Amino acid sequence: MKQTEYLVIGAGIVGCSAAYFLAKDKKEVIIVDRTYPCNEASGVNAGGLELLQQPPKSLPLHVRAAELWDEFQNKEGIDVGYHRTGGLYCILKEEDLHILDEQEERFAKNSLPIQRLNKEQVKEKVPSICDNVIAANFSPMSGYSNPLKAGVSVLMAAKKLGAEFMDHQAITKIEPDAGGGYTAYSENEEFHARKILIACGIRSPRLLDPLGVHIELEEKHNMITVTEKAPHFIDYTITTPTMTMKQTAEGSILIGGGREGYGDLAVSERKDVSINGLCFNVREAQDIIPSLKKLSILRSWSGFEGFTPERLPYIGEAEKYPGIYYAVTGFCGYCIGPAAAEHAIRCMNGQDYFKVKEA
């Protein structure tokens, strides 16, 4: 049996960040994962850290996440591939202009900088952009990080501070101990902890439902396409109502969007891309930046993600099992992950934290 003060279940960006914050606070912590760190949604997304598309109620949490991403990279010395480039939310249809108005309204309520751009101003920022973009909002706080390294880098920093990580530990059940605390069981190990944080993303309900905590998650299958490297020509992240695009520091173009791949966790762990959806994403990216047609696609992939009905994160303590906590992101989980982890620890410490019912 492994003994620890804190057990974190799930080594995505939320779990890795939580382990780091706990270890930084000199807490004894073990973090476990069913496979490898950031092997699911936290490692297969496009890395966008956008603010303009976020729900009004979770926007303050996304602002805090942006601060934490910056702190990881530029203060803590953890290379998460973070770049605060600023981001454009582009509109191509007149009937979608109301989206920009709504963004301006909620940014104003949160005292956040935002700039409305007309077609000519958009062209000034991105000379390669097409004339189909009729208007855009610009947020200087948006950016991106590298999901291939971010979570793992945060986990390695946690380990340097004393956290212990164990892979291939699929926790199947959690039971109270007679002497206090809880025991979490995997196939080949038992973990005794005073406090447990469940941060398993789309798989969290498997552990939470038996504990009397039901979180409704809509299964999603996000798709990403990456091109060959090119000389730098896109300075900002670009988002539309159905597509995201950015050029990485290495030169590749990452294209994602609302069109999904295939998968069904109830049946299989397998997920796959939708060729039709992938083509729609790529065509939209090419319509906005025509020069992308010159670049070859290197790879496309998909991953599981869970959306809550309100697109808000659920953070709290299991009412019937004091000492068991959860942090389940409900939309743009990678983006908001560090802040969700921070608020989960605030919950553990009896402090004020983000609550959906009060948001």
Side-chain angles (χ1 to χ4, degrees):
M1 176 184 287
K2 303 284 291 186
Q3 300 272 352
T4 187
E5 185 179 5
Y6 291 84
L7 175 67
V8 178
I9 303 173
I13 189 62
V14 177
C16 290
S17 297
Y20 174 73
F21 296 144
L22 288 167
K24 187 179 177 182
D25 199 32
K26 304 188 185 306
K27 305 295 186 183
E28 181 187 33
V29 57
I30 295 176
I31 177 172
V32 300
D33 194 90
R34 58 184 291 275
T35 56
Y36 299 103
C38 296
N39 194 44
E40 290 282 2
S42 292
V44 300
N45 65 88
L49 308 176
E50 312 291 350
L51 294 183
L52 288 166
Q53 68 191 58
Q54 304 308 334
K57 293 180 179 180
S58 63
L59 183 56
L61 217 58
H62 280 278
V63 173
R64 177 55 183 157
E67 295 171 349
L68 289 169
W69 282 109
D70 186 67
E71 288 179 13
F72 282 154
Q73 186 75 36
N74 298 310
K75 182 179 178 182
E76 307 289 340
I78 304 171
D79 185 8
V80 293
Y82 174 74
H83 300 270
R84 182 172 288 185
T85 58
L88 289 163
Y89 192 101
C90 298
I91 296 298
L92 292 82
K93 301 176 182 178
E94 292 279 348
E95 57 264 35
D96 289 335
L97 284 171
H98 69 93
I99 297 175
L100 302 185
D101 296 333
E102 293 161 4
Q103 291 172 352
E104 285 186 302
E105 182 180 353
R106 61 178 176 262
F107 266 55
K109 287 181 178 178
N110 287 275
S111 301
L112 296 174
I114 188 172
Q115 182 184 5
R116 174 71 69 93
L117 306 176
N118 59 31
K119 179 183 291 190
E120 290 72 26
Q121 291 169 319
V122 173
K123 194 78 172 178
E124 287 178 8
K125 283 192 174 293
V126 186
S128 57
I129 208 161
C130 71
D131 291 334
N132 294 341
V133 176
I134 60 175
N137 275 337
F138 176 72
S139 165
M141 293 185 67
S142 293
Y144 70 90
S145 67
N146 186 343
L148 297 179
K149 67 164 66 172
V152 175
S153 295
V154 174
L155 177 60
M156 293 303 103
K159 290 180 67 176
K160 287 182 180 179
L161 294 174
E164 182 179 355
F165 171 66
M166 295 181 66
D167 59 27
H168 290 85
Q169 299 293 327
I171 303 300
T172 57
K173 64 178 179 178
I174 302 171
E175 294 181 340
D177 286 337
Y182 296 90
T183 297
Y185 298 86
S186 72
E187 186 177 301
N188 55 5
E189 188 60 89
E190 298 178 6
F191 300 89
H192 175 76
R194 185 172 64 85
K195 293 185 177 182
I196 294 177
L197 174 63
I198 297 172
C200 308
I202 186 69
R203 292 178 173 81
S204 296
R206 296 180 181 180
L207 291 175
L208 290 173
D209 282 344
L211 301 173
V213 178
H214 177 68
I215 297 175
E216 184 179 345
L217 285 174
E218 180 185 359
E219 186 176 315
K220 295 288 187 178
H221 316 98
N222 60 315
M223 292 194 302
I224 307 298
T225 296
V226 61
T227 73
E228 64 181 313
K229 295 178 181 179
H232 191 81
F233 69 104
I234 303 177
D235 293 329
Y236 311 104
T237 63
I238 297 175
T239 305
T240 75
T242 54
M243 189 275 306
T244 68
M245 174 171 47
K246 64 190 66 65
Q247 185 170 23
T248 67
E250 294 74 25
S252 297
I253 308 297
L254 286 178
I255 303 168
R259 301 175 183 96
E260 291 190 65
Y262 297 111
D264 186 349
L265 269 179
V267 176
S268 170
E269 296 286 336
R270 181 177 176 178
K271 61 267 187 186
D272 207 346
V273 299
S274 160
I275 298 301
N276 287 338
L278 186 154
C279 289
F280 273 116
N281 281 347
V282 172
R283 285 184 190 128
E284 183 172 347
Q286 291 175 339
D287 286 343
I288 294 176
I289 307 286
S291 57
L292 291 180
K293 296 177 182 179
K294 300 177 182 179
L295 301 178
S296 297
I297 291 174
L298 298 183
R299 191 161 67 97
S300 297
W301 63 91
S302 65
F304 291 113
E305 188 175 6
F307 286 7
T308 57
E310 309 91 341
R311 302 300 191 256
L312 300 175
Y314 276 67
I315 300 167
E317 182 178 17
E319 184 177 345
K320 297 179 181 178
Y321 297 88
I324 297 181
Y325 303 84
Y326 53 88
V328 181
T329 58
F331 179 68
C332 290
Y334 176 79
C335 177
I336 203 173
E342 183 181 66
H343 275 250
I345 292 171
R346 291 176 62 87
C347 176
M348 289 177 163
N349 292 337
Q351 301 170 322
D352 289 336
Y353 65 94
F354 181 87
K355 305 179 184 73
V356 168
K357 293 181 180 179
E358 298 177 9

